[in-house]
Amino acid sequence: MIAVTAAVILLPFLAAVAGLLGSRFPRGARGGAADLAANRRAALVAIVPAVLSMLLALWTAYVSLTGADVSTGTLDVIPTGSLPISVGLLVDPLAASVAVLVTVVALAVQVYSVGYLAGDRRYPSYSAFISLFTSAMLLVVHAADLLVLYVGWEVMGLCSYLLIGHWWEDRANSRAAVKAFLVTRIGDVGFLFGIFVLGTAAGSFRIADVIAKVPQMSSGTVVTATLLLLAGVAGKSAQVPLHTWLPDAMAGPTPISALIHAATMVAAGIFLVARLHPVFAGAGPTLDVLAVVAALGMLGAALAALAQDDLKRVLAYSTISQLAYMAGALAAGADGAAILHLITHGAFKALLFLCAGIVIHTVGSNLMSAMGGLRGRLPVTFVAMTVGFAALMGLPPVSGFFSKDEVLLSMERALAAGPLTDAAALLLYGCALATVAVTGAYATRAWLRTFFGERRAVPLPESATPHTGLSGPATPHADPSKSATPYTGVPEPIASRTGGLREAPASMLWPVIVLAVPTLLLGFTGVGFAGAADVHWGTAALSVLLALLGAAAVYVVWRGAPLADPARVLGPFRVPFERAFYVDSLYRALFVLPVLHLARLVARTDDRVIDGAVRGSGRATLSLSGLVRLTQNGNAQLYVTAVLAGVLLLAVGAVALG
């Protein structure tokens, strides 16, 4: 079992190495046919290991979920002089199930990217970084040691930076990549110290040893360690207050958005809390903090999604909100419900992003104000995205209905008896119910504005190559043929290639069709968590009613004016919601601007004081050398006169001083 698990992790890693080093072997030629050949080789190198890794992960999950004991294997022990690091792997139902999610979504993204980035000359490095991303997440999932887990955790941060900034020539993209890297690193500082605190207290970094030693630790140690770990979780899973990087990360290619939002990065933080849930369960104050963070995140992000015009940003804020649901379930003590929702969310969010990629790739814009009337033109995408939105809203019988039912039930039970204080439990449950209604509203708004009403998208000319993966400001009425695109490898809209709005290529459609299946059926399986996914009819009925109320409200407003944005009824609240309550502006005022001013002060000090002293000493030396040069003029009489004057002065001095 451990050997198979090691293969699951190593196959995408080897694919990454081969893709980076061998896609242009042996001649390293570039341009034209050479680029296309390199892309074909890179696709083969990326997809074949991804298929093998997925099949092995499925076999491991089957064995693990059918009653096999937890398997742990130590590959090596690294002595450090104090606490050793055991390079080991762990296989249990939790790891096996999440590994299946990771490998399935990664394979879907790899296949989808073949069509989405057709002709992109950087595709070989792009596909290799996806493979490395996948391997790093699998290492996090199967790590038996906290420091080994941390290695995968940090490699994911690097991969996210490289992939979000894939089109780095655009300044907005490079800034988004840097922002994602820096914000998550802030959380990772606390995360690393949390690992040190736990490892030192337990005398080992092995996860099993840490969990076993929790009863012997003081409450202060456990609370301190878990709060530090929670900083890393907030950064990776984009939770308040370190959530601001995720919407900007939409600057990357849409398949990367699907990978980050469904199976890697943001899933890692939730997985970690579930993996160390016995540790967090022993820290009541930390669970209260997690509950408050989840409550604010789920409702605040849902309200922000309600006012966005960028389809990808709607889904980005939706991810923050849904992850907050999972965090809330973990705070309420229901780690099984959280993981069940993590897996179903991974399926339907990957489906939604890949469908959004088809829509964006087709019309050449991220903005819903440039869409509409696409139902008949994109029938497969329409059906698949409808299934995805239904799962997001939690409507029966799709998977999101079952998993959200479990999450809401856990929060409801926490009101009566649970690890949370009464105030935290009440805030969490109240915000969760409000979020259900808002989720129904923003999902319906996006669905209607994308696929219904009059078609506002216009097929683009052959010369148009806008950055269809961007989430920054766009002008749907601008002349696309005049847009500045320094890198011509950015995907060309399908409309410009086909002469009209048509379905995407098969390589983009098949991953969507495949992901629609688990989106529909996963809820019936229970995925080994939260029992048999029995429906709790009271909670389920309340959830569905709230979602339908939100959807109905948006439909009524939209029906009155199909060409107008239903978000207009938000009135003065629309701009604050669209700006996500100005959190980015607040951070800029509190942190970014002071740091920039300090940096400028340091630069001026360095230039005027440090460098000024160096330059001043140089000028003084030059001035002194000028004076010395006056005496070295080659006049022998002057030299003799100076010598005689010196002798005379010495003689007078000797006589005077006696």
Side-chain angles (χ1 to χ4, degrees):
M1 181 80 76
I2 296 300
V4 174
T5 302
V8 171
I9 299 170
L10 284 175
L11 280 169
F13 176 77
L14 295 176
V17 174
L20 288 174
L21 300 181
S23 61
R24 297 188 181 274
F25 181 83
R27 293 177 297 176
R30 290 184 175 273
D35 282 345
L36 294 178
N39 288 0
R40 286 193 295 269
R41 286 193 295 269
L44 185 65
V45 167
I47 292 174
V48 171
V51 171
L52 295 176
S53 181
M54 183 194 69
L55 293 175
L56 293 176
L58 286 169
W59 180 83
T60 303
Y62 173 77
V63 173
S64 180
L65 293 172
T66 52
D69 294 332
V70 175
S71 298
T72 305
T74 301
L75 307 178
D76 193 10
V77 176
I78 302 173
T80 63
S82 55
L83 300 181
I85 302 172
S86 59
V87 182
L89 301 178
L90 169 65
V91 183
D92 63 356
L94 171 61
S97 299
V98 177
V100 170
L101 169 67
V102 174
T103 53
V104 169
V105 173
L107 176 60
V109 169
Q110 289 281 23
V111 175
Y112 183 95
S113 297
V114 173
Y116 192 85
L117 291 179
D120 190 318
R121 66 169 181 259
R122 293 202 198 108
Y123 173 80
S125 61
Y126 165 90
S127 62
F129 291 142
I130 291 179
S131 297
L132 184 60
F133 211 157
T134 306
S135 180
M137 181 61 186
L138 290 170
L139 182 61
V140 168
V141 168
H142 284 295
D145 187 281
L146 287 175
L147 287 180
V148 174
L149 183 150
Y150 184 73
V151 172
W153 186 277
E154 289 301 324
V155 172
M156 279 198 296
L158 172 63
C159 292
S160 68
Y161 167 76
L162 295 170
L163 290 168
I164 293 170
H166 177 71
W167 294 317
W168 52 265
E169 291 89 349
D170 191 302
R171 190 171 180 83
N173 291 0
S174 60
R175 284 183 171 179
V178 171
K179 182 177 181 179
F181 187 81
L182 292 179
V183 172
T184 54
R185 293 292 75 68
I186 292 171
D188 289 351
V189 172
F191 183 75
L192 182 59
F193 280 103
I195 290 176
F196 288 155
V197 171
L198 278 181
T200 302
S204 172
F205 290 114
R206 287 173 58 87
I207 293 174
D209 295 341
V210 169
I211 293 175
K213 293 293 181 65
V214 168
Q216 303 172 22
M217 298 181 192
S218 67
S219 60
T221 298
V222 177
V223 170
T224 300
T226 50
L227 284 175
L228 288 170
L229 291 175
L230 201 58
V233 171
K236 270 293 188 289
S237 291
Q239 294 298 288
V240 176
L242 300 179
H243 63 287
T244 56
W245 67 269
L246 193 61
D248 289 351
M250 297 304 95
T254 301
I256 297 309
S257 300
L259 187 66
I260 290 175
H261 287 247
T264 58
M265 281 289 282
V266 298
I270 301 300
F271 171 83
L272 176 86
V273 178
R275 170 62 76 202
L276 297 178
H277 198 257
V279 181
F280 281 84
T286 302
L287 293 181
D288 284 339
V289 171
L290 183 59
V292 173
V293 165
L296 296 176
M298 67 175 69
L299 183 56
L303 292 172
L306 186 59
Q308 302 299 314
D309 190 34
D310 187 320
L311 180 58
K312 287 178 67 176
R313 291 180 78 90
V314 171
L315 297 180
Y317 282 110
S318 168
T319 298
I320 297 173
S321 182
Q322 295 299 307
L323 290 167
Y325 267 122
M326 304 169 207
L330 290 167
D335 54 328
I339 294 300
L340 176 60
H341 195 53
L342 174 69
I343 293 175
T344 59
H345 172 265
F348 70 71
K349 188 53 62 70
L351 174 64
L352 285 172
F353 265 109
L354 295 186
C355 288
I358 292 176
V359 172
I360 294 168
H361 209 66
T362 300
V363 303
S365 174
N366 287 20
L367 302 184
M368 291 185 291
S369 55
M371 301 174 187
L374 298 176
R375 177 182 51 170
R377 301 282 183 158
L378 307 175
V380 176
T381 303
F382 167 70
V383 172
M385 203 163 190
T386 300
V387 171
F389 277 131
L392 174 62
M393 294 169 63
L395 301 180
V398 293
S399 60
F401 166 74
F402 296 96
S403 60
K404 187 173 288 187
D405 177 52
E406 294 289 342
V407 168
L408 290 175
L409 181 67
S410 68
M411 297 177 186
E412 182 181 341
R413 288 173 175 170
L415 288 172
L420 300 176
T421 60
D422 292 342
L426 182 61
L427 176 66
L428 180 63
Y429 188 58
C431 287
L433 292 180
T435 303
V436 172
V438 179
T439 301
Y442 73 69
T444 302
R445 171 178 172 264
W447 184 63
L448 291 173
R449 298 203 74 207
T450 302
F451 293 107
F452 292 86
E454 295 183 12
R455 182 168 65 88
R456 297 179 293 276
V458 179
L460 301 177
E462 290 290 340
S463 59
T465 55
H467 283 219
T468 57
L470 299 184
S471 61
T475 51
H477 303 295
D479 182 2
S481 64
K482 297 179 181 178
S483 61
T485 54
Y487 174 42
T488 58
V490 175
E492 183 182 9
I494 294 173
S496 67
R497 288 187 265 147
T498 62
L501 299 178
R502 300 178 185 176
E503 278 288 10
S507 63
M508 295 171 66
L509 276 183
W510 275 110
V512 165
I513 295 171
V514 170
L515 285 172
V517 175
T519 300
L520 278 170
L521 303 178
L522 258 180
F524 294 100
T525 68
V527 203
F529 303 100
D534 294 330
V535 178
H536 306 87
W537 292 109
T539 304
L542 178 60
S543 172
V544 172
L545 177 61
L546 289 172
L548 291 178
L549 284 175
V554 168
Y555 178 76
V556 169
V557 174
W558 174 84
R559 187 67 177 172
L563 293 180
D565 187 351
R568 69 186 186 279
V569 300
L570 294 174
F573 297 104
R574 180 175 183 175
V575 174
F577 288 176
E578 189 175 12
R579 297 289 299 275
F581 305 99
Y582 302 101
V583 174
D584 261 321
S585 301
L586 177 64
Y587 286 176
R588 178 172 177 78
L590 292 180
F591 303 111
V592 177
L593 291 179
V595 169
L596 289 176
H597 291 320
L598 180 61
R600 294 189 185 102
L601 176 62
V602 171
R604 285 196 298 269
T605 302
D606 179 66
D607 180 60
R608 298 179 183 180
V609 178
I610 308 300
D611 288 350
V614 174
R615 290 192 296 266
S617 63
R619 286 194 293 267
T621 302
L622 289 174
S623 300
L624 183 60
S625 66
L627 293 175
V628 173
R629 186 172 63 249
L630 294 177
T631 65
Q632 301 294 323
N633 57 10
N635 189 336
Q637 289 180 323
L638 180 62
Y639 298 159
V640 172
T641 302
V643 171
L644 292 176
V647 171
L648 180 61
L649 287 174
L650 290 174
V652 171
V655 172
L657 297 176

Short mmCIF file of all heavy atoms in Angstrom, two decimals, residues 325 329 332 334 336-338 340-341 399-413 523 526 529-536 539-540 543:
data_model
loop_
_atom_site.label_atom_id
_atom_site.label_comp_id
_atom_site.label_asym_id
_atom_site.label_seq_id
_atom_site.Cartn_x
_atom_site.Cartn_y
_atom_site.Cartn_z
N TYR A 325 -17.80 27.39 4.91
CA TYR A 325 -18.73 26.36 5.37
C TYR A 325 -17.96 25.18 5.98
O TYR A 325 -18.31 24.68 7.05
CB TYR A 325 -19.57 25.84 4.19
CG TYR A 325 -20.88 26.54 4.00
CD1 TYR A 325 -21.17 27.18 2.79
CD2 TYR A 325 -21.85 26.56 4.99
CE1 TYR A 325 -22.37 27.82 2.58
CE2 TYR A 325 -23.06 27.20 4.80
CZ TYR A 325 -23.32 27.82 3.59
OH TYR A 325 -24.51 28.46 3.40
N ALA A 329 -17.91 23.77 9.82
CA ALA A 329 -18.19 22.39 10.24
C ALA A 329 -17.05 21.85 11.11
O ALA A 329 -17.30 21.16 12.10
CB ALA A 329 -18.38 21.51 9.01
N ALA A 332 -17.40 23.23 14.47
CA ALA A 332 -18.51 22.60 15.19
C ALA A 332 -18.22 21.16 15.58
O ALA A 332 -19.06 20.51 16.19
CB ALA A 332 -19.77 22.66 14.33
N ALA A 334 -17.44 18.61 13.39
CA ALA A 334 -17.86 17.62 12.39
C ALA A 334 -16.84 17.57 11.27
O ALA A 334 -17.06 18.10 10.18
CB ALA A 334 -19.24 17.97 11.86
N GLY A 336 -15.97 14.97 9.55
CA GLY A 336 -16.48 14.15 8.46
C GLY A 336 -17.34 14.95 7.51
O GLY A 336 -17.22 14.83 6.28
N ALA A 337 -18.23 15.79 8.05
CA ALA A 337 -19.08 16.63 7.21
C ALA A 337 -18.24 17.62 6.41
O ALA A 337 -18.53 17.90 5.24
CB ALA A 337 -20.10 17.37 8.07
N ALA A 338 -17.20 18.16 7.03
CA ALA A 338 -16.33 19.12 6.33
C ALA A 338 -15.63 18.47 5.15
O ALA A 338 -15.56 19.05 4.06
CB ALA A 338 -15.32 19.70 7.30
N LEU A 340 -16.56 15.71 3.56
CA LEU A 340 -17.57 15.36 2.55
C LEU A 340 -17.87 16.57 1.67
O LEU A 340 -17.93 16.46 0.44
CB LEU A 340 -18.85 14.86 3.23
CG LEU A 340 -20.03 14.56 2.29
CD1 LEU A 340 -19.65 13.47 1.29
CD2 LEU A 340 -21.26 14.14 3.09
N HIS A 341 -18.04 17.74 2.29
CA HIS A 341 -18.31 18.94 1.49
C HIS A 341 -17.06 19.36 0.71
O HIS A 341 -17.18 19.90 -0.40
CB HIS A 341 -18.78 20.07 2.39
CG HIS A 341 -19.42 21.20 1.65
ND1 HIS A 341 -20.45 21.03 0.75
CD2 HIS A 341 -19.16 22.54 1.64
CE1 HIS A 341 -20.80 22.19 0.23
NE2 HIS A 341 -20.03 23.13 0.75
N SER A 399 -24.90 16.50 -5.58
CA SER A 399 -24.05 16.19 -4.43
C SER A 399 -24.02 17.30 -3.39
O SER A 399 -23.97 17.04 -2.19
CB SER A 399 -22.62 15.90 -4.92
OG SER A 399 -22.09 17.02 -5.60
N GLY A 400 -24.05 18.54 -3.82
CA GLY A 400 -23.98 19.64 -2.88
C GLY A 400 -25.14 19.66 -1.90
O GLY A 400 -25.00 20.14 -0.77
N PHE A 401 -26.27 19.11 -2.30
CA PHE A 401 -27.42 19.04 -1.41
C PHE A 401 -27.11 18.19 -0.18
O PHE A 401 -27.40 18.57 0.95
CB PHE A 401 -28.62 18.46 -2.17
CG PHE A 401 -29.77 18.04 -1.30
CD1 PHE A 401 -30.59 18.98 -0.70
CD2 PHE A 401 -30.02 16.70 -1.07
CE1 PHE A 401 -31.66 18.60 0.10
CE2 PHE A 401 -31.08 16.29 -0.28
CZ PHE A 401 -31.90 17.25 0.32
N PHE A 402 -26.50 17.03 -0.39
CA PHE A 402 -26.22 16.11 0.71
C PHE A 402 -25.11 16.65 1.62
O PHE A 402 -25.22 16.59 2.84
CB PHE A 402 -25.82 14.74 0.16
CG PHE A 402 -26.91 14.06 -0.61
CD1 PHE A 402 -26.99 14.16 -1.99
CD2 PHE A 402 -27.88 13.33 0.05
CE1 PHE A 402 -27.99 13.53 -2.70
CE2 PHE A 402 -28.89 12.70 -0.64
CZ PHE A 402 -28.95 12.80 -2.03
N SER A 403 -24.03 17.15 1.01
CA SER A 403 -22.91 17.60 1.84
C SER A 403 -23.24 18.87 2.61
O SER A 403 -22.88 19.02 3.77
CB SER A 403 -21.67 17.81 0.96
OG SER A 403 -21.91 18.79 -0.04
N LYS A 404 -23.98 19.80 1.98
CA LYS A 404 -24.36 21.02 2.71
C LYS A 404 -25.34 20.69 3.83
O LYS A 404 -25.33 21.34 4.89
CB LYS A 404 -24.95 22.05 1.75
CG LYS A 404 -25.22 23.39 2.40
CD LYS A 404 -25.64 24.44 1.40
CE LYS A 404 -24.49 24.87 0.53
NZ LYS A 404 -24.83 26.01 -0.35
N ASP A 405 -26.18 19.68 3.61
CA ASP A 405 -27.09 19.24 4.67
C ASP A 405 -26.31 18.79 5.89
O ASP A 405 -26.65 19.13 7.03
CB ASP A 405 -27.97 18.11 4.13
CG ASP A 405 -28.89 17.54 5.18
OD1 ASP A 405 -29.60 18.33 5.83
OD2 ASP A 405 -28.88 16.31 5.38
N GLU A 406 -25.24 18.03 5.67
CA GLU A 406 -24.41 17.56 6.79
C GLU A 406 -23.73 18.73 7.50
O GLU A 406 -23.63 18.76 8.73
CB GLU A 406 -23.37 16.56 6.29
CG GLU A 406 -23.92 15.26 5.75
CD GLU A 406 -24.47 14.38 6.86
OE1 GLU A 406 -24.12 14.61 8.04
OE2 GLU A 406 -25.23 13.45 6.55
N VAL A 407 -23.26 19.69 6.72
CA VAL A 407 -22.57 20.84 7.31
C VAL A 407 -23.54 21.66 8.16
O VAL A 407 -23.24 22.03 9.31
CB VAL A 407 -21.96 21.71 6.20
CG1 VAL A 407 -21.50 23.05 6.75
CG2 VAL A 407 -20.78 20.99 5.54
N LEU A 408 -24.71 21.97 7.61
CA LEU A 408 -25.68 22.76 8.36
C LEU A 408 -26.17 22.01 9.60
O LEU A 408 -26.39 22.63 10.66
CB LEU A 408 -26.86 23.12 7.46
CG LEU A 408 -26.57 24.13 6.34
CD1 LEU A 408 -27.79 24.29 5.45
CD2 LEU A 408 -26.15 25.47 6.92
N LEU A 409 -26.32 20.69 9.48
CA LEU A 409 -26.75 19.91 10.64
C LEU A 409 -25.72 19.98 11.76
O LEU A 409 -26.07 20.10 12.94
CB LEU A 409 -26.99 18.46 10.22
CG LEU A 409 -27.47 17.53 11.33
CD1 LEU A 409 -28.87 17.93 11.78
CD2 LEU A 409 -27.44 16.08 10.87
N SER A 410 -24.43 19.92 11.40
CA SER A 410 -23.38 20.00 12.43
C SER A 410 -23.41 21.35 13.14
O SER A 410 -23.22 21.42 14.36
CB SER A 410 -22.01 19.76 11.79
OG SER A 410 -21.64 20.84 10.94
N MET A 411 -23.67 22.42 12.39
CA MET A 411 -23.74 23.74 13.01
C MET A 411 -24.98 23.87 13.88
O MET A 411 -24.95 24.51 14.94
CB MET A 411 -23.74 24.82 11.93
CG MET A 411 -22.47 24.85 11.09
SD MET A 411 -22.59 26.09 9.79
CE MET A 411 -21.07 25.78 8.89
N GLU A 412 -26.08 23.27 13.44
CA GLU A 412 -27.31 23.29 14.24
C GLU A 412 -27.12 22.55 15.56
O GLU A 412 -27.55 23.01 16.62
CB GLU A 412 -28.44 22.67 13.43
CG GLU A 412 -29.78 22.67 14.13
CD GLU A 412 -30.87 22.02 13.30
OE1 GLU A 412 -30.68 21.89 12.06
OE2 GLU A 412 -31.90 21.63 13.87
N ARG A 413 -26.44 21.41 15.49
CA ARG A 413 -26.20 20.63 16.71
C ARG A 413 -25.25 21.35 17.65
O ARG A 413 -25.33 21.18 18.87
CB ARG A 413 -25.64 19.26 16.33
CG ARG A 413 -26.68 18.33 15.70
CD ARG A 413 -26.05 17.05 15.20
NE ARG A 413 -27.06 16.12 14.71
CZ ARG A 413 -26.78 15.00 14.05
NH1 ARG A 413 -25.51 14.68 13.78
NH2 ARG A 413 -27.75 14.21 13.64
N GLY A 523 -23.03 12.67 -3.70
CA GLY A 523 -23.78 12.78 -2.46
C GLY A 523 -24.43 11.49 -2.02
O GLY A 523 -24.66 11.28 -0.83
N GLY A 526 -21.74 9.17 0.20
CA GLY A 526 -21.23 9.53 1.51
C GLY A 526 -19.73 9.59 1.55
O GLY A 526 -19.13 10.06 2.51
N PHE A 529 -17.54 9.26 4.64
CA PHE A 529 -17.60 10.21 5.76
C PHE A 529 -19.05 10.53 6.07
O PHE A 529 -19.95 10.38 5.23
CB PHE A 529 -16.86 11.51 5.42
CG PHE A 529 -15.43 11.28 5.06
CD1 PHE A 529 -15.04 11.27 3.74
CD2 PHE A 529 -14.49 11.05 6.04
CE1 PHE A 529 -13.71 11.05 3.41
CE2 PHE A 529 -13.18 10.83 5.71
CZ PHE A 529 -12.79 10.83 4.40
N ALA A 530 -19.26 11.03 7.26
CA ALA A 530 -20.58 11.53 7.66
C ALA A 530 -21.67 10.50 7.48
O ALA A 530 -22.77 10.78 7.03
CB ALA A 530 -20.92 12.81 6.89
N GLY A 531 -21.37 9.25 7.78
CA GLY A 531 -22.37 8.20 7.69
C GLY A 531 -22.73 7.87 6.27
O GLY A 531 -21.92 7.93 5.36
N ALA A 532 -23.96 7.53 6.03
CA ALA A 532 -24.42 7.12 4.71
C ALA A 532 -25.08 8.26 3.96
O ALA A 532 -25.84 8.04 3.04
CB ALA A 532 -25.40 5.95 4.85
N ALA A 533 -24.77 9.46 4.37
CA ALA A 533 -25.34 10.64 3.72
C ALA A 533 -26.86 10.64 3.78
O ALA A 533 -27.54 10.98 2.83
CB ALA A 533 -24.85 10.75 2.28
N ASP A 534 -27.42 10.21 4.93
CA ASP A 534 -28.87 10.26 5.11
C ASP A 534 -29.32 11.72 5.13
O ASP A 534 -28.63 12.60 5.65
CB ASP A 534 -29.26 9.59 6.43
CG ASP A 534 -28.97 8.10 6.40
OD1 ASP A 534 -29.02 7.53 5.29
OD2 ASP A 534 -28.69 7.52 7.46
N VAL A 535 -30.49 11.94 4.57
CA VAL A 535 -31.02 13.30 4.53
C VAL A 535 -31.72 13.61 5.85
O VAL A 535 -32.55 12.83 6.33
CB VAL A 535 -32.00 13.45 3.35
CG1 VAL A 535 -32.59 14.86 3.35
CG2 VAL A 535 -31.30 13.16 2.03
N HIS A 536 -31.41 14.73 6.43
CA HIS A 536 -32.07 15.21 7.63
C HIS A 536 -33.11 16.22 7.17
O HIS A 536 -32.78 17.38 6.88
CB HIS A 536 -31.05 15.82 8.59
CG HIS A 536 -29.92 14.89 8.91
ND1 HIS A 536 -28.81 14.81 8.13
CD2 HIS A 536 -29.78 13.97 9.90
CE1 HIS A 536 -27.98 13.91 8.64
NE2 HIS A 536 -28.55 13.38 9.70
N THR A 539 -33.57 20.08 8.37
CA THR A 539 -32.48 20.97 7.95
C THR A 539 -32.45 21.11 6.44
O THR A 539 -32.24 22.21 5.90
CB THR A 539 -31.14 20.42 8.46
OG1 THR A 539 -31.19 20.27 9.87
CG2 THR A 539 -30.00 21.35 8.09
N ALA A 540 -32.65 19.99 5.73
CA ALA A 540 -32.61 20.02 4.27
C ALA A 540 -33.72 20.89 3.70
O ALA A 540 -33.50 21.68 2.77
CB ALA A 540 -32.71 18.61 3.72
N SER A 543 -32.87 24.54 4.22
CA SER A 543 -31.80 24.96 3.31
C SER A 543 -32.31 25.17 1.90
O SER A 543 -32.02 26.19 1.26
CB SER A 543 -30.68 23.91 3.32
OG SER A 543 -29.72 24.18 2.34
#
